[in-house]
Amino acid sequence: MIKIAPSTNPENEDVLVNYVKECEQSGADFMHCDVMDGSFVPAKCLSLQKLLEVNQNSTIALDVHLMVSDPLVQIERYKACRPTIITIHYESFENKNNIYYALEQIHKHKILAGISIKPNTDWRVLKPYLPYCDLVLIMSVEPGKSGQKFIEETYQKLNDLKNYILDNNYNIKLEVDGGVNAENFLRLYKNGMDIAVMGNAIYKAQNREAFIKKVKEISSNVK
Ligand code: DX5
Ligand code: ZN
């Protein structure tokens, strides 16, 4: 069945603890935590302090998306909020050899390791790292903020990557992030998405619980 990861964003940061509780009670599988440093992306948000507070007040699995220029430093900091997943960006690394080291560091803390690519990055650059990953996060908008328009080329990228993963028998989940909503989630699911990150689609839904349940129900009728 599809897994749903509502995302944090500056709009819900003040009410985050309650929002996370609501998402958890509504059947969300993960809380997607967008960490931005004001350097890799212009915005700056989601302090470690805030995530520690979230973790103390809920049991939902945290899926930390590091949109930062210094991932090796931030992995060591954000492990404190006991995330289930930490995802780094391919583009954050000047020396690509350090990607192996970063994935290893994440695993060393018994955390699942994800790698993400921006919309203009070819998925094939990930091939060397896939044997060492648990998840690939495909960005379907430029990283930086919620509420942007979904980039249509994502379907093909997702489908190609899914086939490559299946052909190589890798145990990797595919997550899509940016502009995922009621209109496009099913097509994404059919093209190989395992986890749907949803920011505005859930935060601005009239009835969040009903929305989450509906997405799950519709997808469960597909496979
Ligand atoms: C974008 C973030 C996303 C964002 C998604 O940089 O990584 O996780 O919160 O929000 P929506 O679904 O509103 O595009
Ligand atoms: Zn994200």
Side-chain angles (χ1 to χ4, degrees):
M1 201 201 280
I2 196 169
K3 297 224 184 290
I4 300 181
S7 69
T8 60
N9 67 52
E11 259 184 73
N12 61 29
E13 206 168 333
D14 290 343
V15 293
L16 196 57
V17 171
N18 285 337
Y19 182 55
V20 173
K21 270 192 210 153
E22 186 185 346
C23 290
E24 183 176 15
Q25 283 159 10
S26 304
D29 301 277
F30 297 96
M31 197 67 206
H32 181 83
C33 307
D34 279 322
V35 177
M36 309 191 197
D37 66 352
S39 162
F40 183 74
V41 287
K44 191 168 183 167
C45 63
L46 207 50
S47 65
L48 175 59
Q49 208 49 41
K50 193 55 139 187
L51 271 190
L52 289 170
E53 198 187 328
V54 164
N55 188 44
Q56 268 165 14
N57 287 282
S58 107
T59 57
I60 195 165
L62 301 183
D63 164 29
V64 172
H65 178 190
L66 291 179
M67 286 171 273
V68 300
S69 298
D70 55 350
L72 291 171
V73 175
Q74 300 310 328
I75 289 166
E76 291 308 309
R77 292 186 66 236
Y78 279 83
K79 71 177 188 213
C81 66
R82 307 186 64 79
T84 299
I85 307 168
I86 292 184
T87 295
I88 51 170
H89 261 270
Y90 169 81
E91 300 85 357
S92 294
F93 292 82
E94 249 173 64
N95 177 352
K96 301 298 181 200
N97 274 326
N98 284 339
I99 294 178
Y100 297 106
Y101 180 69
L103 297 170
E104 200 180 305
Q105 289 306 106
I106 297 170
H107 280 146
K108 209 170 93 188
H109 301 305
K110 309 247 176 309
I111 298 168
L112 298 174
I115 188 162
S116 181
I117 43 170
K118 292 194 204 180
N120 289 333
T121 303
D122 191 319
W123 69 268
R124 290 167 192 85
V125 302
L126 295 178
K127 283 183 183 180
Y129 314 106
L130 295 179
Y132 311 99
C133 290
D134 305 294
L135 176 137
V136 174
L137 171 57
I138 299 179
M139 290 300 307
S140 39
V141 300
E142 278 305 321
K145 54 179 193 294
S146 281
Q148 303 179 72
K149 195 177 170 306
F150 176 83
I151 296 171
E152 297 285 320
E153 283 75 19
T154 307
Y155 295 114
Q156 192 61 50
K157 201 177 200 176
L158 179 65
N159 196 275
D160 290 350
L161 182 52
K162 185 73 177 189
N163 287 331
Y164 184 79
I165 286 170
L166 290 174
D167 287 348
N168 287 278
N169 267 318
Y170 290 139
N171 184 16
I172 295 177
K173 299 289 179 219
L174 290 180
E175 184 172 25
V176 180
D177 184 8
V180 180
N181 58 30
E183 281 74 49
N184 57 23
F185 82 88
L186 195 58
R187 188 168 163 202
L188 287 165
Y189 186 55
K190 287 179 179 169
N191 277 277
M193 173 180 71
D194 300 293
I195 307 171
V197 176
M198 289 181 162
N200 276 345
I202 293 175
Y203 189 63
K204 297 199 170 147
Q206 274 188 358
N207 181 333
R208 293 172 184 151
E209 184 172 0
F211 181 81
I212 291 172
K213 298 224 150 88
K214 192 86 197 150
V215 169
K216 292 220 161 203
E217 187 195 315
I218 293 172
S219 65
S220 70
N221 293 329
V222 176
K223 52 179 175 181

